[in-house]
Amino acid sequence: MKTFIRSTEPFDWHAIAEIAGGARLELSDDASARIGAARALVEQIVERGIRAYGVNTGVGALCDTVVSQAKQHDLSHNILMSHAVGVGPLLGPEAVRAIMAAAVNNYAHGYSGVRLAVVRQLVALLNGDCVPEVPAFGSVGYLSHMAHIALVCVGAGWARFGDTRVSGAEALRRLGLEPLSLEAKEGLSLVNGTPCVTGLAVLALARARRLLDWVDVVAAMTFENLQGQVEAFGAQSLAFRVSPGLETVGARLRGALAGSGILAVAAGRRTQDSLSLRAIPHVHGAARDVFDDVARSVDRELASVTDNPIVAGTPDHPSVYSQAHAVSASLALAMDSLGVALAQVAAMSERRIDRLVNPLVSGLPAFLAADGGTRSGFMIAQYTAASLVAQNHREAAPASLDGGVTSGLQEDHLCHATPAALKALNIVENGTRIVAIELLAAVQAYDLQPADLPRSPYTEALRTRIRSVVPIYRDDRPLADDMNRVFRMIVDDAPPPLADPERRPSRLQDEYERTS
């Protein structure tokens, strides 16, 4: 099993994604030393009575209420209990692991002031495949999700080992751990910062990357079935627009469609195709450009200290910075942007599905039914795609503009970063289901084409791969089962690789190819 070591350099989003998927995490000696040095600063702050938010004061609107040293343990413990207010369905194991890995990464910067034992407890949960139960909803920023994770560290709350649900106390017993007794600042540090949105943003990136790779090749299959004019994807034509994403998608489409007999016969039949066909590089490419920007934002977040307060300086001269680094406007905006980009890609996919099933433009049997009249084929599957597009439109409304006031006017500007990431994840899932329907419809369309029109080698290989799992559809079984099967294929597996020597990927795309 792969192991990632948090040392002098922060993790990037690729590392967090792999840890979320089951890789191990370890702390280097220097990271452990930084965590310990920051703890020494907190101990000096406590001993000298230097006023520090959440260390020896209350939190939120209670920030001016001084807490005696004797009650600082109670403050940390009570913060977990009062902040564990999540509701609704539980986050999946990958999401919880991503949040935990992002939290460990943040503590390892060496400015949080928690004891090394606290960080090691989180690492032990990760490496022991113990997943705290974390409700998805209830956060306007970052508090409730980490509070539910931290409950398990103190022997409270609930966790899962695979399908087995156990109490937090039992989870620690199984791992050979003792419940933590929190000290000054640790309760606040465990719920503060931006690990929630950062971890969820990493998961959204990983799933979006897979979706963007699939939607290119699925769109190529639809384009071929509809006998598009392939010169729209020519390198010379696309070069007039400056966009690394467009260049990448154009090259991928040319690679996927190279050698197509269908397109060779169709050349010159029309002046231009509909926008859902000829603008594939422009829309998919724009989404890839947004993806690269978001990936850079997430990596910057992982390189940032997001505690409040931050402790720095030396034991002789400790400094406390109680500002607003736990507010992640950058990731709220980034997740809103990613959601909108993917919603547009998915909407275009649904338009292509509609063209495949519409005999007025496809030239194929109505609704791709093998026997019209008694069979509806993909008629209602297109309804499902349209429904998911509409749901994405609602989800794509920007969470970063929701605003609100909490904590007695102390927190009177809210960015809703974590909800923005949750919405982006929903849009990715809906988009993946739409693309799965397009893939099924495109393969069905191939089966209804004249036998003497050869497909490109790439699309034929992909068609064969799908048909090895899902036979031609004859209204002889619930179509939802086929849709779910192909959805899981897209989620779990990359599409067949495209060998294209003319592609010049961006740095992030090149890194993806190296690490995938």
Side-chain angles (χ1 to χ4, degrees):
M1 183 181 294
K2 192 169 184 179
T3 298
F4 287 85
I5 300 175
R6 178 55 164 92
S7 57
T8 54
E9 294 297 320
F11 287 141
D12 63 10
W13 77 267
H14 297 279
I16 299 294
E18 292 213 44
I19 296 167
R24 292 176 61 84
L25 186 158
E26 292 183 4
L27 294 169
S28 68
D29 290 342
D30 60 277
S32 297
R34 286 195 304 273
I35 293 168
R39 183 62 202 177
L41 297 179
V42 171
E43 291 169 355
Q44 285 298 310
I45 290 168
V46 170
E47 183 176 328
R48 299 182 191 185
I50 299 170
R51 180 177 291 195
Y53 173 76
V55 178
N56 46 33
T57 76
V59 296
L62 301 174
C63 61
D64 292 324
T65 302
V66 175
V67 176
S68 69
Q69 187 171 345
K71 292 185 177 181
Q72 287 166 15
H73 161 79
D74 292 343
L75 172 62
S76 280
H77 182 82
N78 294 346
I79 284 174
L80 294 194
M81 301 303 149
S82 65
H83 286 52
V85 293
V87 297
L90 299 177
L91 294 180
E94 275 190 298
V96 177
R97 288 180 59 87
I99 293 170
M100 293 166 69
V104 172
N105 176 77
N106 187 52
Y107 300 140
H109 287 306
Y111 295 97
S112 298
V114 298
R115 288 169 297 152
L116 183 57
V118 173
V119 186
R120 284 177 172 164
Q121 195 93 323
L122 288 170
V123 171
L125 296 183
L126 274 169
N127 293 341
D129 201 24
C130 173
V131 180
E133 289 192 351
V134 181
F137 305 132
S139 174
V140 296
Y142 45 78
L143 296 172
S144 65
H145 296 78
M146 275 301 298
H148 282 275
I149 291 171
L151 286 179
V152 177
C153 292
V154 300
W158 298 90
R160 289 188 177 271
F161 288 91
D163 294 331
T164 304
R165 186 181 194 235
V166 298
S167 68
E170 173 62 15
L172 295 181
R173 188 193 67 77
R174 291 191 180 194
L175 294 172
L177 301 173
E178 294 294 328
L180 290 173
S181 178
L182 300 181
E183 298 182 3
K185 194 183 185 292
E186 291 178 337
L188 181 58
S189 287
L190 280 167
V191 303
N192 216 325
T194 66
C196 308
V197 60
T198 307
L200 294 172
V202 163
L203 209 58
L205 281 174
R207 294 176 181 177
R209 182 180 68 182
R210 178 65 55 83
L211 173 60
L212 289 172
D213 283 350
W214 270 102
V215 75
D216 288 345
V217 298
V218 172
M221 298 175 82
T222 299
F223 185 90
E224 188 176 35
N225 270 298
L226 296 174
Q227 302 183 15
Q229 303 304 297
V230 75
E231 62 266 23
F233 304 153
Q236 184 174 355
S237 172
L238 295 180
F240 287 106
R241 175 173 285 277
V242 179
S243 163
L246 177 143
E247 181 183 350
T248 295
V249 174
R252 286 171 59 79
L253 290 169
R254 292 192 297 274
L257 295 169
S260 169
I262 296 176
L263 296 185
V265 171
R269 285 184 178 174
R270 288 186 296 276
T271 302
Q272 62 176 214
D273 295 306
S274 66
L275 281 172
S276 63
L277 297 178
R278 61 187 161 96
I280 292 168
H282 302 75
V283 174
H284 293 193
R288 283 180 177 266
D289 289 340
V290 170
F291 177 94
D292 281 0
D293 290 341
V294 171
R296 283 187 284 269
S297 293
V298 174
D299 281 346
R300 283 196 298 269
E301 196 78 6
L302 288 165
S304 301
V305 181
T306 65
D307 284 79
N308 179 29
I310 291 167
V311 294
T314 66
D316 292 334
H317 300 285
S319 302
V320 181
Y321 298 90
S322 179
Q323 310 307 330
H325 290 309
V327 175
S328 188
S330 59
L331 285 195
L333 294 168
M335 287 294 97
D336 280 343
S337 297
L338 184 66
V340 170
L342 296 174
Q344 185 169 140
V345 167
M348 182 181 245
S349 174
E350 184 276 329
R351 289 292 79 211
R352 291 192 298 268
I353 296 169
D354 185 63
R355 298 189 78 82
L356 281 172
V357 304
N358 186 340
L360 298 178
V361 293
S362 71
L364 297 168
F367 307 111
L368 304 177
D371 181 13
T374 63
R375 298 173 182 171
S376 299
F378 281 73
M379 177 193 293
I380 309 304
Q382 185 265 328
Y383 286 34
T384 300
S387 172
L388 293 172
V389 167
Q391 184 177 344
N392 274 352
H393 289 169
R394 295 186 288 270
E395 294 276 9
S400 53
L401 293 180
D402 284 348
V405 180
T406 58
S407 195
L409 298 179
Q410 182 70 8
E411 296 170 358
D412 57 355
H413 179 80
L414 306 176
C415 294
H416 296 271
T418 298
L422 289 170
K423 290 194 318 92
L425 283 165
N426 288 341
I427 290 170
V428 173
E429 178 170 336
N430 290 339
T432 303
R433 293 191 182 279
I434 293 166
V435 172
I437 295 171
E438 184 183 359
L439 178 53
L440 274 174
V443 171
Q444 182 86 354
Y446 280 137
D447 290 331
L448 301 175
Q449 295 280 7
D452 59 345
L453 291 178
R455 296 171 279 274
S456 80
Y458 183 90
T459 58
E460 172 58 20
L462 185 51
R463 185 199 72 83
T464 301
R465 177 173 169 180
I466 301 303
R467 278 290 173 253
S468 70
V469 177
V470 179
I472 187 171
Y473 187 66
R474 304 183 188 279
D475 288 44
D476 53 347
R477 60 190 182 272
L479 187 51
D481 293 344
D482 292 0
M483 289 159 53
N484 285 329
R485 190 172 293 117
V486 175
F487 167 76
R488 288 310 321 169
M489 177 184 292
I490 294 176
V491 169
D492 296 336
D493 299 319
L498 276 164
D500 191 338
E502 64 178 331
R503 185 166 73 97
R504 295 192 298 266
S506 70
R507 179 186 64 80
L508 282 171
Q509 291 156 348
D510 186 52
E511 184 176 357
Y512 158 47
E513 298 292 347
R514 292 197 310 270
T515 58
S516 294

